[in-house]
Amino acid sequence: MIVMTVDPINPDALRRQLFDAGAGAYCGFEGWIRNENEGQAVLRLEYEAYDPLALSEGETILAEAKQKFPFLHAHCVHRTGVLDIGDCAVWVGVSAPHRDEAFQACRYIIDQLKVRLPIWKKEHYVDGHSGWVNCERCAKSA
Amino acid sequence: MIVMTVDPINPDALRRQLFDAGAGAYCGFEGWIRNENEGQAVLRLEYEAYDPLALSEGETILAEAKQKFPFLHAHCVHRTGVLDIGDCAVWVGVSAPHRDEAFQACRYIIDQLKVRLPIWKKEHYVDGHSGWVNCERCAKSA
Amino acid sequence: MKTITVRYFAMFRENAGLDEETLTIEAATAADVFSATRERHQSAEPTGHCKVAINDIMADWDSPVSNGDTVLLFPPVAGG
Amino acid sequence: MKTITVRYFAMFRENAGLDEETLTIEAATAADVFSATRERHQSAEPTGHCKVAINDIMADWDSPVSNGDTVLLFPPVAGG
């Protein structure tokens, strides 16, 4: 299941949803807002998403991961809106019988989410300017 | 830092210790007690460890991981004593600037812990018998 | 001529100064719609890392558009 | 003859029926100490996946032992 939310992410409550008596391994990933990107001091980030397609593409990614690395349960939550340094922007959790599937599925899911979901982030820098990440050319044309 | 404990592991409190304004990624692994191993229904597990060497070998593994996959913080906690199905036996958490180091360091640490730390587990099966994991020959000689 | 509703996201929305507009244009494919909006809003972004959806379904730049379609224009994504 | 304290763990402890004992034996290496304990407790475990420490430091089977050393005998490990 994938969820898009403007509320703070609660990793502990989320991982509990993956409990299973047949699970010997759990792997969790969190993306945190970092105070620096490509040499620039970051103040805060603003995430925008197109939820209907983020959700459907997210479900597709989870289904692909389950086929490649059979796991028991996987969830993903992505936050949008204004986030401060240290905030959790994305959480992925996977429970599986063994650790190899848990690690590999978790990695696959976050790698794919980052490049396929219609989500955009605008970095606000300490020096006052801002920029859309991965979008240098559109920034130039602004 | 590595900790050996007989108390329940609290992953949420532990991950908070890894917060860092320079961290963009967090990877956590948990080993849970599974209800089955190699075709046998498991009732509970009993972990025994030799703490002084588990701690020193654990610190060596963390230092190796930091050199291979530069991360910001990594912690590990391993529980001993009697554990029931669903209990968390081991937790590893790593925070890093980017996700690649976080995933790789976390995986390296758990892989090495499992084969190098002086920790032993005895499985108690639903059918009443029990056995030390990885120790078929000593079981035969018993 | 076709009536196409175009929705802009992130940088495209900021550049166009609006979320959505309805255009009456000559357009056979999603790429044609994108070209028309680039001229209209003086944008130089190539299709390269951008993505497009038609009526809430991910599409290719050469996917055909029909009268009444809604075309979603996505600048390069950056989730996580 | 050397006086060596031997500590047993997990299956070795159960097999020997004790945590620790002090032996006075002819032993040049850790492997010699292990052999002596196998005879004493009718154990057939080879050194293969077992490990040994001398005075709380991980050692090899051919590491020399000295009078007064404590040798720790570890059956195959299984953490996590």
Side-chain angles (χ1 to χ4, degrees):
Chain A
M1 192 182 63
I2 173 163
V3 170
M4 302 295 297
T5 181
V6 294
D7 298 320
I9 291 174
N10 181 341
D12 194 47
L14 291 164
R15 64 180 267 291
R16 286 171 196 273
Q17 297 178 2
L18 305 178
F19 284 178
D20 190 304
Y26 165 79
C27 181
F29 175 82
E30 299 176 27
W32 294 346
I33 307 299
R34 203 157 57 100
N35 61 6
E36 183 266 325
N37 193 27
E38 292 177 8
Q40 299 201 83
V42 172
L43 199 60
R44 62 178 185 279
L45 254 72
E46 217 181 312
Y47 282 85
E48 175 179 337
Y50 181 57
D51 287 359
L53 278 181
L55 294 173
S56 61
E57 190 72 359
E59 294 296 347
T60 302
I61 292 168
L62 290 174
E64 290 168 6
K66 186 155 193 163
Q67 192 151 39
K68 287 174 190 281
F69 314 107
F71 54 73
L72 290 166
H73 309 288
H75 284 185
C76 170
V77 179
H78 203 299
R79 197 174 162 192
T80 53
V82 176
L83 276 76
D84 295 312
I85 305 304
D87 281 348
C88 179
V90 61
W91 171 89
V92 177
V94 177
S95 62
H98 303 284
R99 72 186 183 286
D100 194 51
E101 298 95 348
F103 270 106
Q104 295 215 62
C106 189
R107 181 75 196 253
Y108 180 82
I109 293 166
I110 186 64
D111 284 356
Q112 295 294 314
L113 289 180
K114 280 182 172 261
V115 296
R116 286 166 56 181
L117 260 52
I119 298 177
W120 304 273
K121 57 184 171 193
K122 190 181 197 170
E123 289 178 336
H124 294 269
Y125 306 107
V126 171
D127 68 10
H129 75 288
S130 64
W132 290 96
V133 177
N134 288 352
C135 203
E136 290 162 58
R137 281 159 308 195
C138 29
K140 273 182 215 138
S141 73
Chain B
M1 191 183 63
I2 174 165
V3 170
M4 303 295 296
T5 180
V6 294
D7 298 320
I9 292 174
N10 182 340
D12 194 48
L14 291 164
R15 64 181 266 292
R16 287 169 195 274
Q17 297 178 1
L18 305 179
F19 284 178
D20 190 304
Y26 164 78
C27 182
F29 175 82
E30 300 176 28
W32 294 345
I33 307 300
R34 202 157 56 102
N35 61 7
E36 183 267 323
N37 193 26
E38 294 178 7
Q40 300 201 82
V42 172
L43 199 61
R44 63 179 184 279
L45 253 71
E46 217 181 312
Y47 282 86
E48 175 179 336
Y50 182 57
D51 287 359
L53 277 182
L55 295 172
S56 61
E57 190 73 358
E59 294 296 347
T60 301
I61 292 168
L62 290 173
E64 290 169 5
K66 187 154 193 163
Q67 193 151 37
K68 287 174 189 281
F69 314 106
F71 55 72
L72 290 166
H73 308 289
H75 283 184
C76 170
V77 179
H78 203 298
R79 196 173 163 192
T80 54
V82 176
L83 276 75
D84 294 312
I85 306 303
D87 281 347
C88 179
V90 60
W91 171 89
V92 178
V94 177
S95 62
H98 302 285
R99 71 185 183 287
D100 195 52
E101 297 95 348
F103 270 106
Q104 294 214 62
C106 189
R107 181 73 196 253
Y108 180 83
I109 293 166
I110 186 65
D111 284 355
Q112 295 293 315
L113 287 180
K114 279 181 172 263
V115 297
R116 287 166 56 182
L117 260 54
I119 298 177
W120 303 274
K121 58 184 170 194
K122 190 181 197 170
E123 289 178 335
H124 294 268
Y125 306 107
V126 171
D127 69 10
H129 76 287
S130 64
W132 290 95
V133 177
N134 288 353
C135 203
E136 291 161 56
R137 282 160 308 199
C138 26
K140 274 182 214 136
S141 73
Chain C
M1 299 290 270
K2 289 169 185 165
T3 300
I4 305 285
T5 299
V6 183
R7 292 189 62 181
Y8 301 103
F9 294 86
M11 188 62 207
F12 289 166
R13 178 176 39 70
E14 288 189 351
N15 189 51
L18 39 78
D19 284 354
E20 181 178 317
E21 63 186 336
T22 300
L23 306 177
T24 302
I25 49 175
E26 286 293 351
T29 66
D32 296 336
V33 176
F34 190 47
S35 294
T37 66
R38 282 193 295 177
E39 276 170 39
R40 193 172 168 84
H41 300 290
Q42 291 96 49
S43 162
E45 188 72 7
T47 52
H49 295 283
C50 300
K51 290 179 184 166
V52 64
I54 302 174
N55 303 328
D56 272 1
I57 293 167
M58 293 306 299
D60 296 314
W61 290 111
D62 56 7
S63 298
V65 291
S66 306
N67 190 48
D69 278 353
T70 296
V71 173
L72 313 179
L73 296 178
F74 299 149
V77 303
Chain D
M1 299 288 273
K2 290 169 185 166
T3 300
I4 304 285
T5 299
V6 182
R7 292 188 62 182
Y8 301 103
F9 294 86
M11 189 62 209
F12 288 167
R13 177 175 41 70
E14 288 189 351
N15 189 52
L18 38 79
D19 285 353
E20 181 177 317
E21 62 186 337
T22 299
L23 306 177
T24 302
I25 48 175
E26 286 292 352
T29 66
D32 296 337
V33 175
F34 189 47
S35 294
T37 67
R38 282 195 295 177
E39 276 169 41
R40 191 171 168 85
H41 299 291
Q42 289 95 50
S43 161
E45 188 72 7
T47 52
H49 294 283
C50 300
K51 290 178 183 166
V52 64
I54 302 174
N55 303 328
D56 272 1
I57 293 167
M58 293 306 299
D60 296 314
W61 290 112
D62 55 7
S63 298
V65 290
S66 306
N67 191 46
D69 278 353
T70 296
V71 173
L72 314 179
L73 296 178
F74 298 149
V77 304

